[in-house]
């Protein structure tokens, strides 16, 4: 019997659509039809709420990746409004893939919650935004997924305690994550998944892994260690302008990841008899009495 859950694979589009709805829809379509992912995930920000005036009007720290004269203009260029997100969610439903979004502020949380997605993601940078999490716990009935990059063990304890007090821990999914783009293998720290499993698996809905590394081998190990949900940044072209593209999988990479995770899922089982039927012919032909 296979005691592992079937892997659930999220293609994180984020802002890799370059502010273009047609590119966003193409990313959704390819994730579903070619890559066989279970979900796509975008991002939603209210930039005036999220950024100080100084941050909003300063230049982008890497002008080569900027879509505007200031960091605020860059972020606004990449931002879809709630009606566009609704259109993307309908597009997802039409082709049979789950829609979701990360939310970075209370206004964005309210807008995405109004669309009723299966789950909403809280990024590592926002897992200390108590006001936003309180609103979601009180008003949104779906799963709440939380990344734990840039977060201490004590802070993770506090997060789980918070969701218990809100009586929403049964909807909580915690992700092992290292916040970097891309992350070198020695900083992925996969064994932290074991810590999340040992400490919280009986108190929360599930464990996930959000990877920003290169390649797909690490994700297989993350799943084997107990992360049933695997999220990877995804783009149509890793050479496109933008911070996240270089740490993203292209369609063939995501397709191979989905293929390999499903293969490992089927393989993770005990023999149900000492000599399997597939071995019987080889037993007769190759194994001699001594």
């Amino acid at each position: 019997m296979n005691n592992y859950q079937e892997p659930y694979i999220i293609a994180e589009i984020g802002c890799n659509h370059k502010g273009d709805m047609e590119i966003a829809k193409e990313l959704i379509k390819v994730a579903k039809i070619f890559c066989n992912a279970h979900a796509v995930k975008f991002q939603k920000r209210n930039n005036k709420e999220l950024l100080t005036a100084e941050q909003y009007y300063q230049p982008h720290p890497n002008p080569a990746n900027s879509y505007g004269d200031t960091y605020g203009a860059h972020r606004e260029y990449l931002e879809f409004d709630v009606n566009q997100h609704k259109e993307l969610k309908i597009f997802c439903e039409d082709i049979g893939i789950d829609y979701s979004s990360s939310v970075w502020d209370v206004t964005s949380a309210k807008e995405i919650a109004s669309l009723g997605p299966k789950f909403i993601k809280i990024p590592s940078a926002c897992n200390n935004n108590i006001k936003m999490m309180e609103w979601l716990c009180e008003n949104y009935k779906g799963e709440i997924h939380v990344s734990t990059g840039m977060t201490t063990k004590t802070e993770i304890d506090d997060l789980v305690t918070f969701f218990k007090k809100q009586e929403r821990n049964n909807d909580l999914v915690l992700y092992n994550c290292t916040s970097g783009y891309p992350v070198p293998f020695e900083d992925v720290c996969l064994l932290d998944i074991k810590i999340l499993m040992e400490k919280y698996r009986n108190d929360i809905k599930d464990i996930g892994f959000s990877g920003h590394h290169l390649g797909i081998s690490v994700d297989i190990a993350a799943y084997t260690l107990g992360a049933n949900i695997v999220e990877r940044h995804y783009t149509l072209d890793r050479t496109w302008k933008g911070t996240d593209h270089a740490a993203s999988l292209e369609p063939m990479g995501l397709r191979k990841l989905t293929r390999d995770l499903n293969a490992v899922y089927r393989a993770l089982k005990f023999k149900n008899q000492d000599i399997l039927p597939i071995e019987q012919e080889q037993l007769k032909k190759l194994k001699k009495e001594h």
Side-chain angles (χ1 to χ4, degrees):
M1 180 180 176
N2 188 338
N3 292 317
Y4 281 80
Q5 295 179 35
E6 186 174 354
Y8 184 84
I9 299 141
I10 302 169
E12 173 161 9
I13 294 169
C15 298
N16 283 349
H17 48 69
K18 303 196 293 181
D20 187 317
M21 284 288 285
E22 291 311 307
I23 292 176
K25 289 178 180 179
E26 183 68 14
L27 280 158
I28 294 169
K29 188 164 59 176
V30 172
K32 167 63 179 179
I33 297 169
F34 182 74
C35 305
N36 301 305
H38 298 90
V40 292
K41 186 171 73 63
F42 292 91
Q43 294 184 18
K44 188 79 184 80
R45 292 172 168 90
N46 183 300
N47 295 301
K48 290 286 180 69
E49 182 177 333
L50 189 62
L51 302 171
T52 65
E54 182 182 1
Q55 291 170 330
Y56 193 93
Y57 291 107
Q58 70 184 4
H60 191 288
N62 186 347
N65 282 327
S66 184
Y67 287 90
D69 294 335
T70 65
Y71 184 69
H74 161 77
R75 289 254 53 102
E76 300 291 7
Y77 185 92
L78 294 173
E79 194 65 37
F80 290 148
D81 64 31
V82 67
N83 290 321
Q84 289 172 305
H85 276 272
K86 182 177 181 180
E87 183 179 337
L88 293 173
K89 182 172 183 284
I90 291 169
F91 186 82
C92 287
E93 291 167 351
D94 286 344
I95 65 171
I97 190 169
D98 291 336
Y99 159 92
S100 185
S101 180
S102 295
V103 295
W104 288 67
D105 51 80
V106 174
T107 299
S108 297
K110 291 179 178 179
E111 289 177 336
I112 296 301
S114 74
L115 304 178
K118 176 181 176 180
F119 68 94
I120 287 177
K121 180 82 179 294
I122 296 172
S124 299
C126 303
N127 66 20
N128 60 347
N129 188 335
I130 298 299
K131 184 178 178 183
M132 181 173 72
M133 291 191 294
E134 281 181 342
W135 190 91
L136 285 170
C137 285
E138 291 171 9
N139 298 279
Y140 169 69
K141 301 308 179 188
E143 297 173 10
I144 301 174
H145 295 203
V146 183
S147 269
T148 61
M150 305 181 286
T151 307
T152 67
K153 301 291 189 295
T154 300
E155 288 171 333
I156 297 172
D157 274 340
D158 291 343
L159 264 173
V160 174
T161 300
F162 168 82
F163 278 88
K164 282 182 175 178
K165 287 180 178 176
Q166 297 286 326
E167 298 184 346
R168 293 300 307 276
N169 54 297
N170 290 330
D171 295 313
L172 174 63
V173 176
L174 285 180
Y175 286 67
N176 171 241
C177 177
T178 297
S179 298
Y181 305 89
V183 175
F185 294 120
E186 58 269 24
D187 289 336
V188 174
C189 302
L190 277 181
L191 293 181
D192 275 20
I193 293 171
K194 293 180 69 175
I195 297 174
L196 295 178
M197 291 283 290
E198 289 163 5
K199 293 183 73 172
Y200 307 119
R201 65 180 159 189
N202 294 324
D203 294 325
I204 66 177
K205 186 175 184 73
D206 217 337
I207 304 292
F209 173 66
S210 179
H212 305 137
H213 52 281
L214 301 178
I216 60 176
S217 58
V218 167
D219 308 88
I220 307 300
Y223 171 66
T224 307
L225 287 167
N228 296 310
I229 299 168
V230 175
E231 172 191 273
R232 287 298 303 272
H233 283 263
Y234 152 71
T235 183
L236 296 179
D237 187 339
R238 294 180 67 245
T239 67
W240 278 351
K241 181 172 77 172
T243 307
D244 288 349
H245 294 286
S248 299
L249 294 176
E250 289 181 340
M252 184 56 76
L254 185 61
R255 178 184 172 95
K256 288 179 177 178
L257 174 61
T258 304
R259 176 201 67 191
D260 290 354
L261 282 169
N262 285 322
V264 170
Y265 166 65
R266 293 195 301 273
L268 283 167
K269 60 194 295 187
F270 295 101
K271 283 189 173 183
N272 57 16
Q273 59 191 76
D274 288 340
I275 300 173
L276 296 172
I278 196 172
E279 297 179 296
Q280 292 291 345
E281 184 178 343
Q282 307 307 317
L283 173 66
K284 294 173 186 175
K285 184 169 70 173
L286 299 175
K287 197 165 186 179
K288 310 298 183 184
E289 297 263 353
H290 290 284

